[in-house]
Amino acid sequence: MVSSLRRLIPLVAFGALRCGSGGSNAAPSLDAGAADSAHALPPPGGGADASVSADASASADASASADASASNDAGTGTETGPSDGSTAPSEGGAPGAIGTFVGVNALITDSVANLAPIGVVREYHNWGWLGNNYDDQPYPQTLYTPDIPSFGWDWDSFFSGLQAMGVSGFPAVQGPAPWVDDGGVPPASGSPTAAASYIAHGDTMFQIAARWGKTTVADSLLKLETGQTRLSGLGTVEYFEDYNEEDNAAGFTGDVFAAMASADYDGDEGRLGATIGVKNADPNAKLVMGGLSGKYGSGSTWVSSITTFLDAARTWSAAHRTDATFAADVINVHYYSFGPGAPAPALSPEADGVEAKLAAIVSYRDQYMPGKPVWWTEFGYDTFDGSPLHAPALGSNSAFVVQGQWLVRELLAGLAAGIDRATVFELDDTCTPPASACNTQFATAGLLPMSGSPKAAWYFLATFRARLASYTYGGAVPGTSANVSIAQFADTAGPGGALVVWMGTSNASVTSGYALSLPAGTSTATAVALTDGQATGVETTLTPSAGVVTLDVSETPTIVLYSP
């Protein structure tokens, strides 16, 4: 069960959290500011989610250790992992495998036990939270650490706890800091297209990489309040995201963001000093550009808005960096499948052409920014029918089941498009229906309600990741019936493989007795049904006959595992 204590933090102290809401992401009838308020952090020292029930957690993540799994019912909100820089497998599996592909958006107050079964965690992290006093002057500001008991936010334990459970987390540092000029980003003074205007931001990025990265930094370089624990090189975070939906933030254009990214990356190639930027703290650290929300409209509007922003970032980089390269290791986008607006539902991935949209960004990367992974760090569906982003009930399937169906199919669309990582928005709901606040998009996009058992989507995603954690995507396989889609996977840990099969429709269609062809030499096969309440699904043994198994195919993807 999850706690119902999810109160909003006062905006006067922290500013609105911009989680997947930056104005153009909204349906035409929704105010962007209202969307932002759905994602404010609970207050310091309270509101943490209790862990998923023991029955669910006992089978939650096939890759998590038995000790970590057994601790899931503790309900403490965080699990303490190694603090000595030891390196448990932080990425959850082989490069490119589903264990490292799937993830979820979360907050510092969320339970590690609830997060780990879904995979990589993108942790929303306002820049201003990293100061020990929100109105301290002048800059530089000391870095917040757990040794300030009045806050009770322990990022050290959060990231090490994820690592101990076989997954990784990374912070998305967004928004302003009140001790820098007028608190704005870009800052009020200095040219917005000069990397030197972002020394304060780049300094903060250095400090967090110095603490959670893999390289130990000289103690004299750490900016910590007297009495705080002085630590460096904890080895719990590899990726650091330096904003969120900057293309919808006032003052940001592609060239402005490229200037800030240059400071955040390597101190503008060292010109800003040796203590600015994540690379100067930890050469192994990787900078993820803030996720671009794009603009919504007909045709290629979203794709064009993303590539136009990236064009401007590349142009600035070519003119101002000796390496002529945009200073980010990862390209990052957000995309939601809005329908025409409530009461009409959102669109399924297939109806919205999600694969083609994402593939266009991958193609742009291939042509202009080769070698940089493309991440899709926000997508999702609400479950309350007052939201313009809600998944509808279809036939006998509730909105909760359809949310789960569509989220897994979004993952499959991302894989087909060539996306390198996909993180669902988000772990928790922020309201309980039928409260009027639930009409706001993203308010019921969580995998966990504010109280009660996890939604079907939590179990669907946990099963998808657990069963395919060591598998890599191998492409689409032609089906033999209309609307039946098939994706093939290879197991990096053994000789077997998997097929995922589903109906790409949105009307509760089922194809009964579908003849699914298996690779030559297959001797055994097992169907795994994504099932509400079951964190690793429900197995059914299939008997191959002449290389074919028969099963019913529905709009809920079914995993078919096979081996020689």
Side-chain angles (χ1 to χ4, degrees), residues 27 30 338 341-346 381-391 437-445:
L30 187 66
F338 287 101
Y381 295 98
D382 287 316
T383 50
F384 182 60
D385 60 11
S387 165
L389 188 60
H390 75 275
C438 297
N439 291 321
T440 303
Q441 63 196 39
F442 313 119
T444 58

Side-chain angles (χ1 to χ4, degrees), residues 411-439:
L411 294 176
L412 292 161
L415 288 164
I419 293 293
D420 297 284
R421 177 167 288 177
T423 54
V424 173
F425 191 84
E426 63 181 327
L427 183 69
D428 299 314
D429 283 354
T430 57
C431 74
T432 299
S436 60
C438 297
N439 291 321

Side-chain angles (χ1 to χ4, degrees), residues 18 46 154 347 360 441 516 525:
R18 296 185 60 84
D154 188 346
L347 301 174
Q441 63 196 39
L516 179 66

